[in-house]
Amino acid sequence: MTTASSGPGKLSRRALLRTAGTVGVLASAGAVGRGLFTPAIAGPAPKVRLAWTEVAACHSPLGFGVAKGIYSRHNLDVELFYQGASGQTLIQALATGKADAGAGLIGDWLKPLEQGFDVKLFVGSHGGCQRLLASKASGVTDLAGVKGKTIATYGIGAPPQVAFQVTLAKAGIDPETDVTWKAVPFDLVGESVNRGEADLAAHLDPWAYSIEKQFGFVKLADTQTGVYEGHTCCVLGANGPFLEANRDALRRLAEANIEVHEYTAAHPEEVAQWYFDTLKPAGLSLDDLKAVIGGLVAHNHPIGQPLVDQIQKSAEDLKLVKVLDPTTDPKEFAERVTVNLLA
């Protein structure tokens, strides 16, 4: 049985996976160089092409994990595939076989999965990377004040709009009739609000953090607190044929994903430094990246039944705001679109 090689005690691989989705059992587990696992796996490392969005701060643990050899210690040859900044390009990368697995927002995954897209979700990464921000000029200081206002986001139907439609609906505001949604270019969401063309901004980190800081916007909600307390934000999925042929490799990918996010939770400054040095994100300082990466709920990476429960909760939310079909059964749907790598 594979055991943890550092930390306060020894954990079997299965014991780690059973606990990692709910508590940060390994957050203080020592340096990357020592590792959390010593997989006793014979044979060559299978290759996994993992789609990511390199400009997204919340994806930085994936690149960090490759650079620091975390995946290779799980006997995996992980090649990162830049799939662009859109959830639709992630779907296309998997559908066309350009990638075997990928990391994406739940808000991007669920509608294509409802429509029959051949992908299974298998492990969460973290919670929280979207913000709803109000300009000071708008006078909005709480969710009740959003009624009658205009919200800028980078696309109608994009994850920030969908996420905060749920927030508003649960606050008693009709997200279709009580507010106006305005699509603006991705890089101009903050500028448009600052110029008074909209009252609020709904955006993704690190850009949301950046415009909140730059313009002194007021954060009304995010996807870590309030109705999203305890929710998973980003999830890894694998296309069906790859899963069928490489289930054990995906289980090890899930283990590595948990390990790298636990490490990130304990050492956000180190991951931020790697991100800053390697990717040189425009307009973001090292301190910005430390704040964004350190602010993620990096312990929230469910697998097995906890992941099914998370997807069911998200499906219920998306039905509430009419993204998923009214006939969709959230429980049956969650069980159908996930795979339990602990089984």
Side-chain angles (χ1 to χ4, degrees):
M1 178 177 289
T2 302
T3 58
S5 59
S6 62
K10 290 190 175 182
L11 294 171
S12 71
R13 172 182 295 177
R14 181 161 294 232
L16 169 71
L17 290 173
R18 287 194 186 282
T19 57
T22 54
V23 292
V25 293
L26 299 176
S28 60
V32 163
R34 296 211 308 269
L36 298 178
F37 301 103
T38 53
I41 305 168
K47 185 172 184 176
V48 181
R49 296 168 300 169
L50 181 63
W52 74 320
T53 300
E54 66 176 34
V55 294
C58 64
H59 282 207
S60 60
L62 305 179
F64 179 85
V66 172
K68 300 301 180 181
I70 294 176
Y71 295 102
S72 63
R73 288 205 308 278
H74 290 259
N75 198 40
L76 293 170
D77 176 11
V78 171
E79 174 187 320
L80 293 173
F81 174 80
Y82 177 58
Q83 52 86 8
S86 163
Q88 293 308 306
T89 54
L90 168 61
I91 301 301
Q92 292 166 10
L94 293 175
T96 58
K98 294 178 181 177
D100 306 309
L105 292 159
I106 287 181
D108 279 332
W109 282 121
L110 296 195
K111 188 61 181 180
L113 290 173
E114 183 191 46
Q115 295 172 332
F117 182 47
D118 187 14
V119 159
K120 298 290 187 185
L121 306 178
F122 62 94
V123 66
S125 292
H126 64 83
C129 55
Q130 299 170 77
R131 302 174 190 232
L132 180 65
L133 308 168
S135 69
K136 290 183 178 177
S138 72
V140 178
T141 58
D142 56 24
L143 289 175
V146 176
K147 189 171 183 178
K149 301 297 184 180
T150 297
I151 306 172
T153 191
Y154 61 86
I156 301 303
Q161 182 195 13
V162 174
F164 296 117
Q165 282 182 317
V166 172
T167 299
L168 295 178
K170 291 187 175 182
I173 298 170
D174 189 315
E176 292 185 10
T177 62
D178 288 343
V179 298
T180 300
W181 295 92
K182 181 176 182 177
V184 301
F186 191 96
D187 293 334
L188 297 180
V189 173
E191 288 283 356
S192 67
V193 175
N194 191 53
R195 291 196 300 259
E197 297 167 6
D199 304 296
L200 297 98
H203 213 351
L204 302 165
D205 281 333
W207 306 279
Y209 172 87
S210 179
I211 64 177
E212 179 184 352
K213 179 180 176 183
Q214 179 182 356
F215 299 120
F217 290 167
V218 177
K219 184 171 71 172
L220 302 182
D222 57 31
T223 51
Q224 295 183 12
T225 59
V227 302
Y228 287 104
E229 184 77 36
H231 273 239
T232 300
C233 182
C234 292
V235 176
L236 267 60
N239 71 41
F242 186 83
L243 168 64
E244 185 175 350
N246 298 277
R247 187 184 180 100
D248 183 64
L250 286 175
R251 183 173 65 250
R252 284 182 274 128
L253 183 66
E255 293 173 356
N257 189 66
I258 291 169
E259 179 180 348
V260 74
H261 282 87
E262 285 295 330
Y263 191 86
T264 299
H267 306 88
E269 297 86 357
E270 185 178 344
V271 178
Q273 186 73 61
W274 174 87
Y275 181 54
F276 184 77
D277 293 342
T278 306
L279 301 177
K280 300 176 175 57
L284 291 165
S285 69
L286 178 58
D287 286 342
D288 289 341
L289 296 175
K290 288 179 180 178
V292 172
I293 293 170
L296 296 173
V297 186
H299 295 307
N300 194 349
H301 30 60
I303 187 169
Q305 187 59 45
L307 178 61
V308 176
D309 295 341
Q310 284 280 321
I311 299 303
Q312 179 178 339
K313 184 186 301 182
S314 295
E316 291 166 353
D317 286 346
L318 295 194
K319 280 189 68 175
L320 175 66
V321 295
K322 304 176 184 177
V323 171
L324 295 188
D325 192 278
T327 62
T328 294
D329 179 334
K331 184 175 185 296
E332 183 279 330
F333 173 75
E335 292 170 347
R336 174 170 60 82
V337 304
T338 57
V339 58
N340 186 350
L341 295 178
L342 302 184

